[in-house]
Amino acid sequence: MSPTYYLTTPIYYVNDKPHIGHAYTTLACDVLARFKRLDGYNVMFLTGTDEHGQKVQDAAEKAGVAPQSFTDTVSQNFRDLTSAMNFSNDQFIRTTEPRHYESCRHIWNMLLEKGHIRLDKYAGWYSVRDEAFFTETELVDGKAPTGAPVEWVEEPSYFFALSEWQQPLLDYYEAHPDFIAPAGRLNEIRSFVKGGLKDLSISRTTFDWGVPVPNDDDHVMYVWLDALTNYLTALDWQNDGADYSTYWPCDLHMVGKDILRFHAVYWPAFLMASGLPLPKRVFAHGWWTNEGEKISKSIGNVIDPLALIDKYGLDQTRYFLLREVPFGRDGDFSETAMIARTNSDLANDLGNLSQRTLSLVVKNCDGIMPALPADISGDDAELLAAADGLLEKVRAEFDQQAFHEGLRLIWDVIAAANRYIDTQAPWALKKTDINRMGEVLAVIVETIRQIAILVQPVMPQSAAKLLDQLMVPDDARGFEHIAGRARLTSGIAIEKPQGVFPRYQEPEGEGA
Ligand code: ME8
């Protein structure tokens, strides 16, 4: 039986259109999901939309539409983004689905039966933008720490006994040092929990766009209890579904740093209290800014992923987002950096290497794939060993969500292949040693074959084009066909190659 891998994105609020930040989180998961599938895993990759709560209700009111039809429209925008970005999610969950209501009621009843919920009264601050409660002492200049406005709320509320989970949570972090990543974030969470946990309000009465609390229709569940439970709903946990036993506990919850606390404190506490196993890892990535500025609707500098795809290409955008910024850190989007990656890493380093090599095979070998030397030694051995060694190294980086490092390692080998072609100068060998020319070309093609297989998760369409040009059959594109476990097939005919990575040219008049 194949090993399993369950990974999730946050479910996004449907108060607004998707932007680059949402695309980024799901992209990282998509790359990992594709990587794991190619590496022989049975993957469940979940994304979706978070459709309840005051923020969404307010947005619907502002648009003058009933919440359900408002969420139908906005949720569809997120679904459209998954196809535009070529995401391979296995499910797209919406919290307004009946199965999710059932699941929320189920977790509520479990918590209630086990004595972790009591009815009381909440009096304190609430930030609608963060959908979070704050104490007086947490406020900064009368606002939430995120800068969001807060309002005073006083209402009857059910509480979850979060305070009881302080020590169990600290013990869990201690016993599972990989649970929260990157390491700096673990420290933040640990000191937050050490600072003391107060019981958490988990229901609201002043609006009604949410899952009704079982046996108390005056209350709807707090949107975060509702939202986090989606990770179980998708596995049909509420019905003891087969997917639950196959995929839970979750291997990775990928989130932005803004919502780590909900995933690394509240969620594990809810699960422990319900007697359910905890996810293996929560990774909080950094925040994108635009040309140095915070991305915000009021500044008007929101980056639309569809516009990037239009301008630079889909795979170029996917590559840039994961290569440019060390995953986990904050990153800045700039057109200059985007163009540099497109033209230098893709068009020059990988695109030209492949185009030049295959053109030589077509021109100088009558389009018949040459064979590797019978005895591989010297520079040939060095380059092939570097290519063969990549999978293990890239896997280790991707398992730590260090996508930028994995890509850097691949581009190191591309650079080595470019040096090799320049040193070996196969074009000059045509007249002096045609046999050696074939061997040199075969060594490069074999390197490109391995690289094209390895970059499939990041650039699925472009990698497929490269592999088509190399005549690699569909069933020979998994990771079991690299790392020295298989070699390129010689003697087959290839066609005149078409460039896979076009250079980005600034439109006339706009300057570079
Ligand atoms: O928080 N840079 O939904 P949300 C990087 N519904 N990532 C960004 C970003 C930026 N500038 N802006 C947004 C919610 N993101 C809840 C989640 S989960 C059970 C419920 C990404 O629509 C990042 O992943 O506000 C962040 O955590 C998420 O969008 C917040 O999405």
Side-chain angles (χ1 to χ4, degrees), residues 161-442:
L162 183 63
S163 54
E164 288 171 22
W165 299 97
Q166 178 175 358
Q167 198 51 48
L169 283 167
L170 291 170
D171 294 345
Y172 190 82
Y173 304 151
E174 195 63 34
H176 302 86
D178 289 333
F179 175 57
I180 299 170
R185 300 274 167 221
L186 167 61
N187 295 335
E188 272 171 29
I189 290 293
R190 207 189 262 135
S191 51
F192 169 73
V193 174
K194 275 192 182 146
L197 295 176
K198 277 203 291 300
D199 289 353
L200 180 71
S201 165
I202 51 163
S203 75
R204 306 284 318 268
T205 53
T206 42
F207 68 97
D208 57 11
W209 184 237
V211 182
V213 165
N215 305 316
D216 194 345
D217 279 354
D218 292 343
H219 293 251
V220 291
M221 290 183 201
Y222 173 40
V223 67
W224 271 102
L225 173 58
D226 159 351
L228 289 161
T229 305
N230 93 87
Y231 302 133
L232 293 169
T233 309
L235 302 181
D236 200 25
W237 161 78
Q238 61 284 9
N239 296 312
D240 269 333
D243 279 348
Y244 177 70
S245 36
T246 306
Y247 295 109
W248 195 265
C250 180
D251 292 275
L252 177 68
H253 291 312
M254 179 72 80
V255 298
K257 64 180 183 180
D258 54 325
I259 56 171
L260 179 60
R261 186 180 295 185
F262 299 94
H263 285 81
V265 182
Y266 301 168
W267 181 228
F270 295 151
L271 289 168
M272 282 185 191
S274 312
L276 298 170
L278 267 50
K280 294 181 198 155
R281 187 168 168 91
V282 180
F283 190 102
H285 67 64
W287 215 238
W288 280 93
T289 50
N290 186 359
E291 311 275 356
E293 270 194 290
K294 186 176 180 303
I295 297 178
S296 109
K297 240 181 25 178
S298 49
I299 302 175
N301 63 349
V302 175
I303 303 170
D304 177 358
L306 302 180
L308 280 189
I309 297 171
D310 240 22
K311 189 162 176 188
Y312 299 103
L314 170 59
D315 283 347
Q316 284 77 359
T317 303
R318 290 174 59 110
Y319 173 78
F320 171 82
L321 290 173
L322 290 186
R323 177 66 185 88
E324 183 64 13
V325 176
F327 199 71
R329 298 230 208 109
D330 291 341
D332 187 42
F333 178 86
S334 84
E335 302 272 343
T336 319
M338 176 85 220
I339 294 170
R341 291 284 174 200
T342 301
N343 287 350
S344 139
D345 297 15
L346 298 178
N348 287 353
D349 297 348
L350 178 56
N352 277 352
L353 173 70
S354 165
Q355 184 67 16
R356 270 162 106 188
T357 310
L358 295 184
S359 300
L360 283 171
V361 171
V362 168
K363 220 169 79 193
N364 292 355
C365 310
D366 294 329
I368 303 298
M369 192 72 85
L372 289 166
D375 288 318
I376 297 176
S377 62
D379 287 354
D380 304 355
E382 200 182 314
L383 183 59
L384 289 178
D388 291 350
L390 267 180
L391 174 62
E392 198 183 322
K393 292 187 191 154
V394 174
R395 184 194 283 130
E397 298 297 348
F398 278 29
D399 276 340
Q400 298 294 314
Q401 291 76 48
F403 304 106
H404 60 292
E405 272 302 314
L407 289 170
R408 191 185 60 73
L409 291 167
I410 297 174
W411 258 257
D412 282 351
V413 175
I414 294 173
N418 275 310
R419 284 193 302 273
Y420 174 91
I421 196 171
D422 287 341
T423 325
Q424 302 289 330
W427 44 88
L429 289 168
K430 183 170 184 213
K431 293 209 178 85
T432 53
D433 188 347
I434 193 141
N435 184 44
R436 177 63 192 151
M437 178 199 72
E439 292 179 356
V440 166
L441 290 174

Side-chain angles (χ1 to χ4, degrees), residues 23-37:
Y24 183 55
T25 317
T26 313
L27 170 65
C29 289
D30 182 58
V31 168
L32 204 47
R34 288 175 183 273
F35 192 94
K36 289 287 171 190
R37 289 189 199 108

